[in-house]
Amino acid sequence: MQTTLSRMEAVDIRQNYVIWLQPQLDNDLEFVDEDIPMEETNFETAEDVASGEPELDEPCSEEGIGEQLETVVQHSVLSYPKSASLPNVPLRIIVQACGASQFFKCVKDYIRGVRSQGTHLSPVVEHDKFNVFKRATLHLGSPFDPDDEILDVIRATPKRGQGPLIKLGNNSFFDTVLIRGHQGPPTVAQLKVLFTLPSTIDPYRTQPLLAYVEWFTPFQRSRHDRATFLYKVSKLIAVI
């Protein structure tokens, strides 16, 4: 009984947070009645990440100590280490270790979009190396107390591999996050890579911490459980 009540309380707290994040969620959502039968990957600035799963593995080591960089987010602040814990990771290793099959394409699309706005970035090539971060910390405003702060660590940590990944652990951690774009309701996604553009592409460091994510299906009215106020979502699957 105690476990059941604890879980019910956790669901209630989460629901209140979602309501605070998107007050008109049910009214504003353009619900989709069917799953989208295609694979979707996207490339987001880390400012768009609204919420992630709590930290479950070991405390921060070299990555959690020292000077922090901060990026302002709506209602929250995202902090990450000044120095990447996985520097100069080749693009091919990122694709293999993180399961980021569309990483190269998404980086090219992002650079194309930024250049169209007048910012000079060099093209990405297949032998480029990226600074990869294992985790970042979200400093969220509390929906209950404006003076309170909720800390939430989001992780995109591959397991031990070759080259720069040799010192990692045996388990990978790719957290599920809730992403809020500039318009529309929040969307569920799995965080795959946290990284910055290399100096060969962005010599003046004009771009923030970036995130490569893979999307889940949108919130659907037909999958809304009225008893728990939860929605059922699934990964977007490719049709070959």
Side-chain angles (χ1 to χ4, degrees):
M1 176 63 71
Q2 183 176 359
T3 301
T4 302
L5 291 175
S6 297
R7 290 177 178 174
M8 291 177 64
E9 182 181 10
V11 169
D12 185 56
I13 292 174
R14 187 64 178 176
Q15 175 63 15
N16 287 333
Y17 173 72
V18 171
I19 292 174
W20 168 78
L21 180 69
Q22 185 76 23
Q24 301 299 324
L25 183 62
D26 283 337
N27 295 330
D28 294 346
L29 271 176
E30 182 177 345
F31 287 94
V32 180
D33 291 330
E34 299 180 356
D35 291 344
I36 303 174
M38 59 182 294
E39 182 181 15
E40 287 289 345
T41 56
N42 203 353
F43 183 76
E44 299 288 333
T45 59
E47 291 93 327
D48 293 329
V49 179
S51 178
E53 297 295 330
E55 177 72 349
L56 297 177
D57 64 347
E58 75 282 356
C60 299
S61 55
E62 78 282 354
E63 181 175 331
I65 302 174
E67 184 176 356
Q68 300 280 311
L69 300 179
E70 291 189 349
T71 300
V72 176
V73 190
Q74 296 181 28
H75 307 299
S76 61
V77 173
L78 178 70
S79 65
Y80 59 98
K82 183 176 181 180
S83 299
S85 54
L86 300 172
N88 301 318
V89 181
L91 188 149
R92 62 178 180 82
I93 292 182
I94 293 176
V95 172
Q96 295 171 0
C98 299
S101 59
Q102 300 297 313
F103 184 79
F104 183 59
K105 176 183 180 299
C106 290
V107 172
K108 288 197 299 184
D109 291 344
Y110 176 81
I111 291 174
R112 187 182 302 114
V114 173
R115 293 175 69 177
S116 68
Q117 299 175 7
T119 301
H120 175 73
L121 295 177
S122 300
V124 60
V125 293
E126 293 186 357
H127 61 259
D128 275 328
K129 298 180 179 181
F130 295 80
N131 289 328
V132 177
F133 298 80
K134 294 191 297 184
R135 57 175 65 86
T137 302
L138 282 165
H139 304 256
L140 302 168
S142 171
F144 309 107
D145 185 352
D147 296 325
D148 195 10
E149 182 180 62
I150 301 173
L151 297 182
D152 201 356
V153 177
I154 52 174
R155 301 165 299 174
T157 308
K159 63 182 180 180
R160 181 183 293 120
Q162 58 181 313
L165 309 184
I166 192 65
K167 294 184 178 180
L168 294 178
N170 293 324
N171 298 317
S172 59
F173 298 94
F174 299 106
D175 285 341
T176 302
V177 295
L178 190 64
I179 298 179
R180 181 178 56 202
H182 298 295
Q183 294 181 349
T187 307
V188 178
Q190 185 175 30
L191 183 63
K192 287 289 190 174
V193 190
L194 284 169
F195 67 101
T196 55
L197 295 177
S199 59
T200 53
I201 297 176
D202 185 19
Y204 301 108
R205 300 186 67 178
T206 61
Q207 301 305 299
L209 180 71
L210 301 172
Y212 172 92
V213 302
E214 293 184 347
W215 296 110
F216 283 70
T217 52
F219 292 114
Q220 301 169 9
R221 188 178 299 278
S222 61
R223 291 189 172 188
H224 182 207
D225 186 346
R226 295 293 178 180
T228 62
F229 298 99
L230 299 179
Y231 290 87
K232 181 179 179 181
V233 296
S234 56
K235 278 193 172 181
L236 295 174
I237 302 174
V239 176
I240 299 177

